Amino acid sequence: MSNVLIIVEQAGGKPKKATLAGITFGQQVAQKSGGQVHFLIIGPGASAAASEVAGYGAAKTYVVEGAAFENYLVEACTPAVVTAAKACNASIVAGAATSTTKDLLPRVAARLDAAMASDVTAVVDAKTFKRPMWAGNVTATVELTSNIKVCSVRVAEFDAPAKGGATTATEKLDIAVDAGAMKAKFVGRKEVKSTRPDATTADIVVSGGRGVKSAEGFKIVEQLADSLGAGIGASRAICDAGWVPNDLQIGQTGKIVAPNLYIALGISGAIQHLAGMKSSKTIVAINKDPEAPIFTVADYGLVGDITVEVPQLIEKIKQSR
Amino acid sequence: MKILVTVKRVEDYEVKIKVKPDGSGIVTDQMKYVVNPFDEIAVEEALRVRDAAGSGEVVVTTIGVADAQQQLRTALAMGADRGVHVLADGNVDPMMAAKAFKKVIEAEKPDLVILGKQAIDDDQGQVGAMLAELLGWGQGTFASKEDSLESDAEKSKQPALKIANGRCEVVREVDGGLETLSLAMPCIVTTELRLNLPRYASLPGIMKAKKKPLQEMKLAELVPGAEARVKVVKLEPPKERKAGIKVPDVATLFDKLHNEAKVI
């Protein structure tokens, strides 16, 4: 029997949509191992978020609250995860792969002397998982042979979790944090404000590359996205060029997305970029170059100038609504 | 200022990786190997920090086969001062790597350790944070900067890491924006792509690198009895997407999306 501890991230008392993939992973592992799933939610608002995930079949939800957890710091959160893992006798500790868990889970693994698999895309059994290597050009089956195992879970590969079972009870954990002894101090955060849905969880994503030609030219991506209520993304090239903020980058080293519809505008489709979006259900590419590699993964390709084609497409969409 | 940087020998990212028919590994005939791109960025940042401080040493270290010396020489040719090669064959998982690097760090006592955020072969992205935990140090993962890679600050090769009064300020790339941490030194930093544009090794640099000191040690001696606990059972190519169709115009595209795929 293998109990599972899943880290559920929250903001303002609401679980983040992306982290629900971790719950699905936990349910799948528990089903194969016969163990129980437990959740851990950290930060002010954790109790409120706990009630939102109370219907997902966990045996218990641990909450850790307090001002010390207001801004994420790995040195404060690592003991919280380890305490919860010990409390529920977890043999697997996991969470959806986000910038937080990518920072936190390897540190937790080291403290538990655990082996870890990053970006898990499928559960084979309670110790064997599939994960991408070489920018998604290879799928590896890996077995973790340590007593406790740690996994981060690729959001795009796990559907929303099933509801079921009794309402989950909540238990507060007191984690002592000595702020003075911590090596890292939080200085500040610069958030990219957006009214659009986040690309990792959006139903539709419109994305732009070199073909938009300039920061100004990227507006056409935003206009098409807004006509569809879509999230936006960008290729690495135009993030590096400073035309758009870095956090829009989709690819091996940026966000991994798998929306119902992915529209690539002026993106050539480097391997690096394809690794971040080729699990999308339907892919559309509009590009001037008929030989662009993006067309090898596109369900529907249109060879043409995006400044000509996209305004027509927006017009069509507006007429249909 | 003493800075230690880790580099890994990886397959060239421009080469299309193919899996052997029996799934036991990848095809390596005629493979070209390079320094992991994130580690090149780590070397570049270390050189800038050293040069901005006016004095100091950049030590590069790798864990890998005998031929990984080529990647250490590349880092030395970029301008690093000295190399430490931890010889290892076979599967080295992230915890093993972190335990071995810890030993090297305990011997070298650097003020700052910079690693790539992940290696582009196994794409695990774990060693930096594991190492920070094993050492009890602070960690600044996914180090980036607010200026773009086409800014004047980048062109003048200023370090993005701000070091003063025994602390290192790191701008981190996180979901939804940037976050700044101040870390007590010594500390661990891992690099994002947008931290800097690494320099190329110059010809004089390559000549000089041949004479720079390079120390060898064995993984089995540094971490006796360590074995990989991330076992690769098999490799397979990912599921290929079915080739789609080209449409002649926007009207057809809209019709297909609306009536066939039913996505808009």
Side-chain angles (χ1 to χ4, degrees):
Chain A
M1 194 180 91
S2 309
N3 284 340
V4 187
L5 178 69
I6 300 297
I7 298 168
V8 177
E9 290 177 53
Q10 58 94 26
K14 298 260 178 217
K16 291 187 188 173
K17 194 178 163 194
T19 85
L20 297 179
I23 295 180
T24 309
F25 167 88
Q27 290 175 345
Q28 291 182 10
V29 173
Q31 202 171 30
K32 303 220 175 195
S33 72
Q36 290 181 316
V37 182
H38 300 74
F39 298 151
L40 169 64
I41 312 182
I42 301 174
S47 294
S51 61
E52 302 256 340
V53 296
Y56 288 120
K60 192 180 276 183
T61 296
Y62 298 103
V63 297
V64 175
E65 292 184 302
F69 299 94
E70 174 114 38
N71 293 304
Y72 163 78
L73 282 168
V74 70
E75 290 165 86
C77 290
T78 301
V81 179
V82 170
T83 303
K86 292 196 168 144
C88 69
N89 197 19
S91 54
I92 296 189
V93 179
T98 63
S99 61
T100 299
T101 55
K102 287 180 192 173
D103 185 67
L104 172 62
L105 284 172
R107 190 150 185 149
V108 167
R111 191 163 296 186
L112 295 169
D113 196 27
M116 175 170 172
S118 300
D119 279 314
V120 166
T121 55
V123 176
V124 179
D125 60 41
K127 61 181 192 314
T128 315
F129 309 95
K130 293 199 179 196
R131 58 175 303 272
M133 290 170 71
W134 287 282
N137 287 300
V138 176
T139 302
T141 302
V142 298
E143 183 188 340
L144 304 182
T145 61
S146 51
N147 290 334
I148 302 180
K149 302 152 186 59
V150 176
C151 294
S152 68
V153 176
R154 183 162 282 186
V155 175
E157 301 292 335
F158 288 84
D159 293 333
K163 294 228 178 198
T167 301
T168 305
T170 301
E171 181 179 330
K172 284 196 181 182
L173 294 179
D174 281 323
I175 307 295
V177 176
D178 179 359
M182 290 212 291
K183 303 286 164 49
K185 285 192 170 62
F186 179 83
V187 177
R189 185 178 293 122
K190 212 170 131 178
E191 273 172 51
V192 180
K193 292 261 186 283
S194 176
T195 51
R196 300 185 183 96
D198 181 57
T200 48
T201 51
D203 205 40
I204 303 176
V205 174
V206 182
S207 187
R210 279 272 180 209
V212 306
K213 300 220 174 66
S214 64
E216 184 67 18
F218 191 75
K219 285 206 174 123
I220 198 137
V221 174
E222 297 173 334
Q223 287 161 2
L224 177 57
D226 293 344
S227 76
L228 292 164
I232 55 172
S235 72
R236 179 182 156 195
I238 73 167
C239 292
D240 284 357
W243 296 354
V244 295
N246 290 335
D247 86 312
L248 290 189
Q249 193 205 324
I250 289 172
Q252 180 193 13
T253 53
K255 285 180 182 162
I256 311 283
V257 303
N260 268 325
L261 173 62
Y262 186 87
I263 304 178
L265 303 179
I267 290 181
S268 64
I271 291 176
Q272 206 282 132
H273 185 78
L274 301 184
M277 45 64 77
K278 66 183 178 188
S279 299
S280 304
K281 302 212 171 46
T282 299
I283 298 174
V284 170
I286 304 179
N287 200 301
K288 266 199 311 206
D289 175 9
E291 302 301 319
I294 190 77
F295 288 123
T296 65
V297 299
D299 299 286
Y300 304 108
L302 175 60
V303 178
D305 184 339
I306 57 171
T307 59
V308 177
E309 310 292 349
V310 177
Q312 292 179 36
L313 182 57
I314 294 171
E315 205 46 47
K316 279 270 181 198
I317 291 162
K318 285 189 176 156
Q319 283 168 12
S320 74
R321 307 236 151 167
Chain B
M1 177 71 59
K2 183 168 176 178
I3 307 145
L4 186 127
V5 182
T6 62
V7 301
K8 187 175 184 186
R9 174 184 173 87
V10 297
E11 291 75 15
D12 185 352
Y13 55 88
E14 288 181 4
V15 174
K16 170 92 177 153
I17 301 292
K18 291 198 178 72
V19 178
K20 285 184 193 166
D22 68 356
S24 65
I26 58 165
V27 177
T28 54
D29 299 343
Q30 317 246 312
M31 181 62 75
K32 190 178 155 218
Y33 291 90
V34 296
V35 174
N36 177 42
F38 291 102
D39 301 347
E40 275 187 324
I41 294 167
V43 172
E44 175 66 34
E45 192 64 21
L47 297 176
R48 291 183 189 189
V49 169
R50 178 196 66 187
D51 295 346
S55 68
E57 188 183 30
V58 173
V59 180
V60 287
T61 184
T62 193
I63 301 171
V65 294
D67 281 344
Q69 190 190 113
Q70 295 160 8
Q71 280 64 47
L72 280 183
R73 293 285 177 204
T74 301
L76 294 172
M78 286 172 71
D81 300 290
R82 196 154 60 74
V84 177
H85 187 172
V86 180
L87 288 155
D89 292 312
N91 182 10
V92 178
D93 74 13
M95 271 298 274
M96 280 171 82
K99 286 173 183 173
F101 285 140
K102 176 176 185 247
K103 296 283 181 169
V104 174
I105 288 163
E106 283 169 350
E108 293 287 344
K109 300 185 173 54
D111 303 293
L112 172 64
V113 176
I114 312 180
L115 307 87
K117 74 161 185 177
Q118 75 194 70
I120 61 160
D121 50 3
D122 67 5
D123 282 328
Q124 285 268 52
Q126 300 171 4
V127 177
M130 285 175 166
L131 188 52
E133 169 63 21
L134 295 179
L135 291 161
W137 293 4
Q139 69 191 48
T141 54
F142 320 135
S144 187
K145 65 178 164 194
E146 292 189 38
D147 303 313
S148 88
L149 291 175
E150 292 177 2
S151 67
D152 291 339
E154 173 58 31
K155 283 177 186 138
S156 64
K157 304 222 171 286
Q158 292 301 306
L161 299 176
K162 292 192 184 73
I163 291 169
N165 306 319
R167 297 190 78 87
C168 176
E169 201 169 282
V170 185
V171 175
R172 304 181 58 230
E173 224 171 283
V174 295
D175 296 341
L178 295 170
E179 182 186 281
T180 304
L181 291 182
S182 165
L183 302 166
M185 293 172 76
C187 61
I188 299 286
V189 170
T190 76
T191 59
E192 262 296 345
L193 281 176
R194 280 162 292 273
L195 186 63
N196 61 47
L197 288 171
R199 70 195 67 186
Y200 293 104
S202 66
L203 190 57
I206 293 167
M207 299 311 287
K208 266 196 242 170
K210 290 180 179 164
K211 296 194 186 106
K212 287 181 178 173
L214 203 154
Q215 189 187 351
E216 288 190 351
M217 49 190 79
K218 291 197 172 70
L219 181 76
E221 287 167 13
L222 278 184
V223 197
E227 62 169 312
R229 297 172 304 164
V230 181
K231 295 211 192 298
V232 179
V233 180
K234 72 166 177 184
L235 301 181
E236 59 197 318
K239 283 187 212 107
E240 291 293 329
R241 284 187 78 90
K242 270 188 282 173
I245 56 162
K246 289 243 172 74
V247 293
D249 51 40
V250 166
T252 315
L253 177 63
F254 180 81
D255 176 62
K256 293 278 183 195
L257 293 176
H258 193 64
N259 297 316
E260 189 175 274
K262 298 189 185 347
V263 282
I264 60 177

